[in-house]
Each structure stands twice: as C-alpha cells, then as structure tokens.
Amino acid sequence: MRLVTFAGPPSSGKTAVICKTAASLHAAQVSLGVIKFDCLSSSDQAVYERHGIISRTGFSGNLCPDHYFVSNIEECLAWGHQEGFDLLMSESAGLCNRCAPHVKDVCAVCVVDNLSGVDTPRKIGPMLKMADIVVITKGDIVSQAEREVFAHRVRQVNAGATIIHVNGLTGQGAQELGRLLQNAPPVDELRGKLLRFSMPAALCSYCLGQRRIGADFQMGNVRKIDLNAKQ
C-alpha cells in the first residue's frame, strides 16, 4: 500500500484536491482511503462520504494536530492495510506553520493557494519546504501573472518539489496528481521511520494548563521578545 501525507494551511483546498484526485483514482480502479486529522471539529468526513471515499477522522483536542498525527499514523497505516487499500492519504492542517507531518520515504504533498499572498510560501515552513509535491490551488481566480509569481515563490522555498496546479472545483490537474501518487513508494510499516522535521514543542506552564498572565506564572521553555533589538 502507498501512503501519502497531505498538509497545508487551513482553507487552502486540501479536502477538495483529495476528493477530485480520488475520483480520478477510482476511475483507474485504485482503492483508497483517507485519514483526516483535525483539532476540534470538521465537516470533511461528510464531504468524503458524499464522494464515496472511505475515511476516518480524529480530533486532537488540546494537542497539536501534527503531534496527534505522529502519535496515531502507525495505527492508521495498519487500518489501511486491513481495509486492503492500494493508497492511503492522510490530511492534516499544520496550523502553526512550524510542524510538518512528512515522513522520510513517504510521499509528501503540501497544498497552498494563490489567494494566500505572494509572501506566504516563505512563512509556511517545513510542510512546504520538505514536500515532494506542491499543489497550488485557486488559480482560476487570479491572473496568469499572479499564478507565475506565486509558483516562483514556491520554487524559491522548495526548488526540488514537483509543482502542480489543481482546480478543486473542476478537478483540472487532479488526474495528473493522481498519476504522481500512484508512483509513490509503497509503505509496509512506519515503526522506526523518521519525520523529515523535528516538531517544535514548547513545554511551558501554558502547555500544562496555566491561564494566568505574568512572569511569576511562566515556567519551562519560555522565550522573551527582545524589544530593544534593531529590526
């Protein structure tokens, strides 16, 4: 079975891209499933069901969704094997832009959209920088020049990635993405494999439930802004 991690900022179109790609893969007789990782709530499970995609959703609650991802992906892979899928796709948000769910030797996709601004690729961090494939969405509502500038900014951050444009409404580009995913390396197990990036974890008093403001209540890994430093 092949495993592909999808990550990207909220509302970049990850779910729409996965649904359109799944349609092209279903037409090619590829059996697949989706594991959705989110924080508190999501309507994507119903979206996947409407598209005939077998899926499961997990909520991280008060944990970082990517930390939750890495604590559960091994069991999810086992579920995919049990279901007999040819391909399992995981979708996670990467809300803080510092984390990345990408795993070495596992195909990694980052979804970004043209409307997020030309400076966004520099801000996203490892989930874009370390992706094998970068999917750019919402190209139908910007000019050709804007699409080219945005793709150039993506290449500046990740020169080695395959960049592909996918329309989440019409599905244009999804078939090509599906072909790329079918060439992803098979993954039999994940135990012992390495994340491509060490997820930052600030173990401080606020991580442990502290709510009061003030230096007296701050313990552990705390970093202060240097307001006297020249910008």
Side-chain angles (χ1 to χ4, degrees):
M1 185 180 71
R2 305 179 194 285
L3 173 65
V4 179
T5 57
F6 275 78
S11 302
S12 57
K14 297 182 294 297
T15 303
V17 168
I18 290 173
C19 288
K20 294 299 183 184
T21 305
S24 69
L25 290 169
H26 281 154
Q29 305 301 313
V30 176
S31 64
L32 61 90
V34 174
I35 293 287
K36 167 79 177 187
F37 293 91
D38 217 310
C39 296
L40 300 177
S41 66
S42 172
S43 59
D44 291 344
Q45 179 74 31
V47 174
Y48 286 132
E49 289 175 358
R50 284 201 301 272
H51 285 80
I53 300 171
I54 300 172
S55 62
R56 296 290 185 273
T57 300
F59 297 108
S60 62
N62 59 354
L63 299 177
C64 163
D66 282 326
H67 287 209
Y68 179 70
F69 161 88
V70 77
S71 301
N72 287 277
I73 189 61
E74 186 179 16
E75 290 81 359
C76 295
L77 182 73
W79 172 74
H81 281 299
Q82 183 180 344
E83 293 290 326
F85 295 140
D86 299 316
L87 173 67
L88 178 66
M89 294 185 274
S90 74
E91 179 191 348
S92 61
L95 295 175
C96 68
N97 285 343
R98 299 174 303 165
C99 293
H102 305 324
V103 181
K104 286 184 178 179
D105 302 322
V106 174
C107 181
V109 177
C110 180
V111 181
V112 292
D113 73 89
N114 278 291
L115 294 182
S116 60
V118 294
D119 292 328
T120 295
R122 289 191 306 169
K123 301 176 182 177
I124 291 180
M127 66 178 169
L128 171 59
K129 187 176 182 180
M130 297 185 175
D132 300 308
I133 302 170
V134 178
V135 175
I136 303 177
T137 60
K138 304 179 185 177
D140 56 323
I141 43 183
V142 297
S143 67
Q144 177 65 27
E146 289 171 311
R147 286 196 294 272
E148 292 178 2
V149 169
F150 192 85
H152 175 68
R153 293 296 179 91
V154 169
R155 288 191 193 94
Q156 287 180 317
V157 174
N158 186 343
T162 299
I163 297 176
I164 182 171
H165 297 264
V166 176
N167 187 317
L169 295 177
T170 66
Q172 184 178 10
Q175 190 172 14
E176 182 181 356
L177 176 59
R179 283 196 294 267
L180 292 175
L181 300 189
Q182 289 186 76
N183 291 325
V187 180
D188 294 327
E189 62 178 354
L190 287 170
R191 181 162 299 184
K193 286 189 177 292
L194 296 175
L195 291 169
R196 299 189 186 188
F197 182 78
S198 299
M199 296 182 181
L203 187 59
C204 70
S205 49
Y206 297 107
C207 298
L208 301 175
Q210 178 59 268
R211 298 171 63 190
R212 289 171 292 186
I213 297 172
D216 291 343
F217 310 109
Q218 297 169 0
M219 300 172 59
N221 192 357
V222 177
R223 178 182 295 176
K224 293 293 187 180
I225 184 172
D226 183 359
L227 297 173
N228 295 318
K230 292 184 178 179
Q231 301 293 308

